[in-house]
Amino acid sequence: MTRPEDAERAAAYARGLDAGRIEQRLQGHDEHLRRINGSIDAMTEALRSLTEELRGNVTLFSANVTAGRRDASERDRIAAARVEEAGIVESQRTVRWTAWQRWFAVVGAIVLVVNFGLGLYLAFGR
């Protein structure tokens, strides 16, 4: 028969085996959790990097939009200044005719047309 000490040793041995299995499983879980934490840390760092890159791109895009608006307003201002300058130059070059000068030009044009018609008539009428 078995002695109580043998039974106690067998029970202690079984407890030791169970404790070893539990310890081994816990070590496996610890390693798994370390890998998960490492993955989370890597993901956090990747997100941080992506956030910084996104901020940089947004800043660059915002600067380009602002520069585009500034360029457009600058172009509009330059165009308005040139139109104004052209208007000033045109008004300086434009000759204003008085009423008698206009009548004289109209009468002269009529005389020219009549003389040209009379010249054609005499040239081809004979």
Side-chain angles (χ1 to χ4, degrees):
M1 293 232 268
T2 61
R3 296 182 296 181
E5 292 174 358
D6 290 339
E8 190 177 314
R9 281 186 187 163
Y13 180 74
R15 284 193 308 268
L17 283 177
D18 288 340
R21 286 188 201 120
I22 291 172
E23 179 69 26
Q24 187 178 11
R25 287 185 64 203
L26 287 176
Q27 284 178 354
H29 288 299
D30 287 345
E31 180 61 31
H32 181 68
L33 289 175
R34 259 188 239 106
R35 274 191 254 133
I36 289 174
N37 286 341
S39 296
I40 290 173
D41 290 342
M43 185 63 73
T44 302
E45 187 59 37
L47 283 174
R48 192 172 292 132
S49 172
L50 185 61
T51 302
E52 289 302 317
E53 183 180 348
L54 191 59
R55 281 185 183 144
N57 287 340
V58 166
T59 302
L60 181 62
F61 178 72
S62 176
N64 286 340
V65 168
T66 302
R69 286 183 188 148
R70 186 176 37 233
D71 289 346
S73 65
E74 185 69 17
R75 283 191 304 267
D76 291 344
R77 188 186 64 74
I78 290 170
R82 287 190 178 159
V83 166
E84 185 178 330
E85 289 171 3
I88 291 170
V89 169
E90 187 65 29
S91 67
Q92 289 173 350
R93 276 194 291 166
T94 303
V95 177
R96 302 284 181 194
W97 287 14
T98 61
W100 68 270
Q101 288 173 330
R102 285 188 212 131
W103 276 105
F104 186 74
V106 169
V107 170
I110 292 172
V111 169
L112 280 174
V113 170
V114 169
N115 280 335
F116 183 71
L118 185 61
L120 288 177
Y121 175 75
L122 289 176
F124 294 111
R126 290 186 182 178

